[in-house]
Amino acid sequence: MTSPFASKLRTNYCPSDEEVAEIKALLVEPCLRLKGLDDKITALQKALDKLTQERDSLEAYVQAHTALISPSRRLPLDIIQEIFVACLPTHRNCVMDAREAPVLLGRLCSSWRAVSLSTPRLWASLHVVDVGRLAPVHDSSSRRLEERAALIPEVTRTWLGRSGQCPLSVSLYTFPFPSDPVAPTILETLIQVAPRWQHIQFTIPAAFLDTQFQLAAKDVPILKSIALHQYDPFQVPNLAWDRLEVLRGSNVTGVAISGCDLVLPRLPLRWTELTALSTLGSRDSPVSGERHISSQEAMELISKCPQLRTLSVLFEEHGLFAETEAHPIVHPLLQTFHCRGNVSTFTFLPGCLSLPELKEFTFLVHLPGSDAYMDDENGRPLVRFLAASSHLESLHIGISQFSSSFLQEILRSFPPTLQRLRINAMSKIMWGARLGSSLDDAILSVITPGLGDAAPCPCPALKELQIDRCTAISDSALLQFISARAATLKRIQVDFAREVELDIRPSLQPFIETGLDICITHVRPTRKVSAWEGLPHAERPLLD
């Protein structure tokens, strides 16, 4: 529509009195037409609403009848049960939570609940957490927590009752420093079904183990793996390890035990039958004890376990006690070796072991108070050990006490079979001075195709890289590494202990779209001081 005031529309023009009267007269006819259109739209909307209501009613009728002939309703019971079992977690035991199977399956409809309750395999694994009474009950959330804790023993009995005669996988975790724990009651319930134990893991105070865990080998006829992580936050009990006859079970091949007073030779184990052994504490328990052993003790241990496939131990050496190179011990079956120790451990132990089938290796230098570090000279046994591991696929290393030249040398020693690499990259700071090296751009270039001086580039089969607590690698160098490795790389995770320097997310998007799993995190920047500080009711704009 044309208007004599077209040039004045959408401006700050203020019309005169005569122009106001002219504008009012000009709007009479458009306003009448607008009302007429609104009336037509209202009538059409009523007709549309009526049709929509009729359509929804008809759709509900069709859907209700279609549901009756749904293929899922005609599935045989055994197929439904197999689907339900496939919903269970495969890497851990089931938990008492309605957000996941098996509890979730019984909350969708009555028929599914009946199926879940009549399928014992769904209830054959269970993880129980004993929170005790963490704090005085003085609010609603604390009361709910205490009420829930009080129900755990009964829920445990009900859960296990649904498992029929299935072999059980059970884990019990007692929260550190609980008051009024229910673990003793839960243990009583679990011990009643000990003949059906297949895999168990208990992280509990030592006193509970000593007084309530008195089982004989005949009481656990099908037990395959057992993990006992005992702790006492106030004292180190004298636990009679030699009385744990349950460790003698005829089928026990996997054992994980930790405790401050643990004495390995006293364990009543069937050493020649073990396939997995760990003396490291539970990662979920900050107060669990871990037993240190020397490299010589480890070699003796490996020698008397010919069937061992997995070994996880904590070493502690007191100086380089072996001046001459010992004859290496060959273990033809060990595939997974996780170890933590001081520098002396890794300057001696690798030269004494030959593991031709090693596939997964972890070596982390602990004891951060030591100022020793590994260099090209004392690290030669470790370099030779890695180079000789022709089947190695997964490696986890800590570099806090590596010299820069040794770190580059050890990267070049990785076998070409390596597919997964994890590096703890934070260097150690002591008295304001940096010890060892940090993983920086120059070192990353060693495993970046086209940049390192080694030909061919190390780790040609690398699929996964994880770097923890990274400080010295630049964002641009990381982007260059990902670009060079994109053809074979499947996953990369980098945890930066610094703020973002360069936003490389737009450059990474093409790699993500082709299937590369990328997880890169930075520490959040510190909050800037605002001019509105101290004014709680004032709105604070975001300041750059």
Side-chain angles (χ1 to χ4, degrees), residues 264-265 271-272 274 277 291 293-306 308 311 313 315 321 326-331 337 348-349 352-353:
L264 281 175
W271 298 98
T272 58
L274 286 183
L277 177 63
R291 169 71 164 86
I293 65 174
S294 69
S295 297
Q296 291 179 332
E297 290 176 307
M299 289 188 294
E300 295 174 0
L301 184 65
I302 292 173
S303 298
K304 69 177 182 179
C305 299
L308 208 59
L311 178 62
V313 287
F315 296 99
F321 52 84
H327 294 291
I329 293 177
V330 180
H331 197 297
F337 188 21
F348 170 71
L349 182 63
C352 301
L353 280 178

Side-chain angles (χ1 to χ4, degrees), residues 469-487:
R469 305 300 295 165
C470 181
T471 59
I473 293 179
S474 66
D475 295 306
S476 58
L478 178 61
L479 176 60
Q480 194 171 24
F481 171 83
I482 295 175
S483 302
R485 289 276 188 174

